DNA sequence: CCTGTTTTTAACCAAACGGTTAAACCCTAT
DNA sequence: ATAGGGTTTAACCGTTTGGTTAAAAACAGG
């Protein structure tokens, strides 16, 4: 029972399956993940995967929907919250870089899986309701009108911030190559990002 | 013959295989790509894939090495060229966004494939020599000393620029969701990036 | 303690996969 | 023309993969 929407109580077989599937799908994607590997990681028989979730697709859908369900509000937050603009930007960058450095696989999973199976995502996994950019747009326009920040397209500002927060984490090996850093230096570099991105954005917004 | 390093003359079977493999691997990655699909796309028998490239791994390596071989110099260019800083930044952003909008799959391929098979890449595919950041570092420090730009860590500046150029293209569906744009609006938005990123970076660098 | 239900397992299946083989085909040089 | 090389093909092979099944095990209520 309890096959409806959310996962049931912890330590149940169904939950162990979901957790194992979450880990494997997150790192290997739909194509790279194998049902046997998920079963092994969960420490149970492979047939149980099909007993609780009918097919690989269904299990994948459950995991992908959960991942996106957690990620979407994090993005919406920057856009919808009612905090004053500068405070919002400071808070968002700090919070967002924290989330990503604890879960570096999530953005890459979303991006590359959407890219490989656009239909599946658009039809069944993506949330129906979009974030409402009006608040952010209005805030930026007001600050511009008041002469407190430089003129800028709000949508580009959002994407600039998100880009600088996420990209270095998902492209870590590429960045290490470009900058010629070893593993420890890279770790340090990523820790500096909080302050550096905040500083950079606020500097760009000066009138 | 001609099995050495580069691909042989156009229209040869080997070249058709390479082209088809390039397209399939680029969009689906190692795990998602199937040898039969590559053969079908090339319009030849599957056994020929093994005749010219011994295994799926070898074929993949050839393609991946070519992709990275084209991408790495593009990044190095920002870092190594001797142009004056502002001109270099303007030129790089313009050139780089152009390259990516024509080949949107390449950065995502590199990032997600490195992530799934780090050993393979580090051992056999990545170029041995790193870009030399000294030129860029010196330029930034000189401009700072002369008071022509604000104080900033050169490495973070590089990553900020690359992030804002690449990320919106690889995370297109995610950006569409965040901004609530339809396909046509998104296309327009991406075309605006050239000017917007340039403006944003130069604004952030003002003393 | 028995009985019916749910949960778990080992064994199995068909399809898809990467890879091989042997024969057919196609050149070109003698 | 023909012998010998490289090239191409259909058929095949062993393994892996997602998925099924039938029976065993665990659990529940009476």
């Amino acid at each position: 029972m309890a096959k409806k929407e959310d996962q049931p109580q912890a330590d149940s077989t169904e939950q162990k399956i979901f957790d194992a599937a979450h880990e494997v799908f997150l790192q290997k994607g739909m194509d790279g993940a194998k049902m046997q590997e998920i079963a092994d990681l969960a420490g149970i028989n492979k047939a149980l995967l099909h007993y609780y979730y009918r097919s690989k697709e269904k299990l994948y859908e459950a995991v992908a929907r959960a991942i996106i369900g957690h990620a979407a509000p994090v993005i919406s937050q920057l856009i919808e919250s009612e905090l004053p603009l500068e405070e919002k930007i400071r808070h968002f960058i700090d919070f967002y870089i924290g989330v990503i450095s604890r879960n570096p696989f999530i953005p890459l999973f979303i991006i590359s899986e959407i890219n490989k199976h656009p239909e599946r995502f658009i039809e069944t996994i993506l949330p129906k309701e979009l974030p409402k950019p009006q608040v952010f747009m209005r805030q930026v326009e007001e600050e511009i009108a008041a002469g407190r920040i430089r003129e800028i397209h709000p949508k580009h500002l959002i994407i600039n911030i998100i880009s600088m927060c996420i990209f270095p984490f998902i492209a870590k090996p590429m960045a290490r190559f470009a900058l010629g850093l070893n593993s420890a230096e890279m770790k340090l570099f990523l820790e500096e990002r909080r302050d550096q991105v905040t500083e950079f954005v606020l500097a760009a917004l000066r009138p």
Side-chain angles (χ1 to χ4, degrees), chain A:
Chain A
M1 58 188 62
K3 296 281 262 327
K4 285 293 141 226
E5 272 292 335
D6 301 341
Q7 303 88 245
Q9 63 268 29
D11 263 42
S12 72
T13 299
E14 194 176 349
Q15 183 64 39
K16 283 194 295 188
I17 292 173
F18 183 88
D19 290 343
H22 193 280
E23 189 174 332
V24 174
F25 277 129
L26 190 60
Q27 298 195 34
K28 313 205 168 179
M30 174 65 167
D31 296 327
K34 308 294 160 196
M35 295 296 264
Q36 188 60 60
E37 187 186 351
I38 294 174
D40 291 347
L41 184 63
I44 50 114
N45 189 284
K46 192 188 58 157
L48 283 178
L49 302 186
H50 296 93
Y51 179 77
Y52 286 102
Y53 303 82
R54 297 215 333 244
S55 64
K56 188 185 182 185
E57 286 243 335
K58 290 269 162 53
L59 178 54
Y60 175 82
E61 263 181 46
V63 170
R65 201 176 279 118
I67 290 175
I68 297 212
H70 280 91
V74 178
I75 290 188
S76 300
Q77 175 185 330
L78 165 66
I79 296 170
E80 294 180 346
S81 122
E82 280 285 3
L83 283 173
L85 187 62
E86 180 178 333
E87 199 180 329
K88 187 151 116 184
I89 290 175
R90 285 183 181 281
H91 174 263
F92 176 84
I93 293 173
D94 188 64
F95 170 71
Y96 209 36
I97 289 188
V99 171
I100 296 162
S101 58
R102 278 188 300 277
N103 311 68
F105 291 103
I106 288 178
L108 187 51
F109 171 86
I110 296 174
I111 291 169
S112 64
E113 291 298 296
I114 287 189
N115 216 274
K116 272 173 206 153
H117 316 276
E119 340 72 37
R120 205 196 328 249
F121 268 79
I122 290 159
E123 283 163 19
T124 70
I125 297 174
L126 280 180
K128 313 289 160 233
E129 43 186 318
L130 304 169
K132 297 167 194 60
Q134 290 85 355
V135 177
F136 190 87
M137 306 269 277
R138 199 202 59 226
Q139 281 184 315
V140 172
E141 277 154 21
E142 277 173 14
E143 298 286 303
I144 293 172
R148 282 192 292 272
I149 68 172
R150 201 176 52 84
E151 210 179 329
I152 187 172
H153 285 56
K155 288 174 181 172
H156 286 278
L157 175 56
I158 293 177
I159 296 299
N160 287 348
I161 294 174
I162 296 180
S163 297
M164 288 187 286
C165 287
I166 299 185
F167 188 79
F169 288 89
I170 68 176
K172 201 163 138 182
M174 202 168 138
R176 278 186 57 186
F177 165 78
L179 302 177
L181 302 180
N182 65 35
S183 190
E185 292 166 337
M186 190 61 203
K187 194 166 168 254
L188 217 93
F189 177 82
L190 290 176
E191 280 164 13
E192 296 165 0
R193 290 297 292 169
R194 276 180 219 254
D195 296 334
Q196 287 293 318
V197 173
T198 309
E199 227 177 75
F200 193 81
V201 171
L202 296 179
L205 290 179
R206 286 168 301 160

